[in-house]
Amino acid sequence: MTSCSSSRQEYEETNPLLSRFMEEFSFSLALTPQEKQRIYRLRHDIYCAELGYEEPTDRENRLEYDAYDSMAIHCLIEHRRTGLAAACTRLVMPHPECPPPLDRLPLESYGGRSLTHPDLHPQRLPAGTYYEISRLAISRAFRTRIRGGEVPGVSDNPHEFTPEERETFSLLVSGLFLAGYALGRMSGKNLAFAMMEPKLPRLLSMSGFHFTKVGDTIDFHGKRSAYCINREQAETGMHRALLPLYQHIQKELGPQLAAVLESRSPSLLTS
């Protein structure tokens, strides 16, 4: 595998869009209560106000969070110029020593009976080897189909974006998944689970990430199925074009993740 600097320099010459995306957006972990509230507010705006999927946890402050968030690793993608929260996701890493429901994946709590794969079932896997990427959210302001004055009043965003800036928004989905995968990989996990609607695995497959369907389709805020991807599938399938972004994310999040893991009880971490 080529180095981060050489890969990025080489690819900048052929894909300036990727280079612009890395320059225009930052990746960070939410470490303080205030940083986590930015993510919970973005989730509220999408999951509660826009889609009606969840009831607000804190209606007065417009926050959405649940029991899993207390031990989750939260990642935020921020638009540098405006300082707006563009997208977020979280990693849930269960451990049998945690109290319920933190001893299992979120998808086991609401879709456990749908998990039908004979081998790729959390209860049949070694503890501490898997995690779930969940609560992916992209602000309406940064979805490519939104234009001009449609955003103010919906996402409390008065900002206008240039056509050139909007061109980079299409990379946010890949950026979210790469951040989730990179964090799991750097945490020593081998298998990532996710509950997704059918179009998302198809979209990610265009970037070379081929998920294995491990459960029946259920009606949970629309049609959803459980999928997973292991380290070999992700790293051998990843399109070479995305390698600079993956390495960039590792470089930005690695030191922050080390601080998070060091602050946790050793009994809840894998080596």
Side-chain angles (χ1 to χ4, degrees), residues 93-108:
M93 301 186 292
H95 194 283
E97 294 183 17
C98 290
L102 302 178
D103 58 342
R104 58 185 180 272
L105 299 173
L107 61 80
E108 290 182 89

Side-chain angles (χ1 to χ4, degrees), residues 21-251:
F21 178 79
M22 291 187 284
E23 292 171 354
E24 294 176 14
F25 291 91
S26 65
F27 291 76
S28 63
L29 299 185
L31 305 178
T32 68
Q34 293 75 20
E35 291 168 343
K36 291 179 182 179
Q37 283 188 2
R38 291 190 71 195
I39 287 176
Y40 299 158
R41 187 165 294 116
L42 176 58
R43 283 166 36 177
H44 170 278
D45 290 347
I46 296 171
Y47 286 98
C48 304
E50 180 184 348
L51 300 175
Y53 286 170
E54 305 288 343
E55 288 296 320
T57 314
D58 184 340
R59 192 177 300 274
E60 180 178 355
N61 294 302
R62 298 188 298 114
L63 305 177
E64 188 280 315
Y65 54 89
D66 62 20
Y68 290 100
D69 288 310
S70 63
M71 288 292 290
I73 295 174
H74 300 275
C75 180
L76 176 70
I77 303 180
E78 181 181 286
H79 188 247
R80 296 183 193 271
R81 181 181 68 80
T82 62
L84 293 171
C88 64
T89 189
R90 73 177 181 186
L91 269 70
V92 177
M93 301 186 292
H95 194 283
E97 294 183 17
C98 290
L102 302 178
D103 58 342
R104 58 185 180 272
L105 299 173
L107 61 80
E108 290 182 89
S109 296
Y110 58 79
R113 293 184 178 180
S114 71
L115 302 176
T116 55
H117 197 284
D119 302 312
L120 298 174
H121 190 294
Q123 295 180 5
R124 301 187 185 98
L125 298 169
T129 63
Y130 57 89
Y131 63 101
E132 182 175 339
I133 303 174
S134 69
R135 286 297 199 270
L136 279 77
I138 297 177
S139 167
R140 287 197 69 191
F142 292 90
R143 295 181 214 161
T144 54
R145 70 175 182 270
I146 302 297
R147 292 293 181 270
E150 295 180 57
V151 173
V154 176
S155 59
D156 298 325
N157 169 37
H159 296 274
E160 293 284 344
F161 299 104
T162 67
E164 291 74 21
E165 284 178 318
R166 289 187 177 280
E167 289 176 351
T168 65
F169 295 178
S170 61
L171 288 168
L172 282 168
V173 172
S174 295
L176 277 177
F177 172 72
L178 283 172
Y181 174 73
L183 288 166
R185 175 72 175 85
M186 290 187 290
S187 301
K189 310 302 180 184
N190 183 61
L191 195 67
F193 284 88
M195 183 69 79
M196 298 185 282
E197 56 183 316
K199 67 179 180 181
L200 185 52
R202 292 197 296 267
L203 179 62
L204 290 170
S205 70
M206 297 173 63
S207 298
F209 301 111
H210 301 286
F211 284 78
T212 299
K213 187 177 180 183
V214 296
D216 296 329
T217 300
I218 62 174
D219 189 0
F220 181 74
H221 305 322
K223 300 299 182 182
R224 299 285 191 275
S225 302
Y227 293 83
C228 73
I229 189 168
N230 62 32
R231 182 182 303 177
E232 182 179 1
Q233 286 174 303
E235 296 189 354
T236 60
M238 185 191 305
H239 287 177
R240 184 172 177 272
L242 289 175
L243 182 58
L245 178 57
Y246 175 58
Q247 294 173 323
H248 171 77
I249 292 170
Q250 286 182 308
K251 184 178 180 180

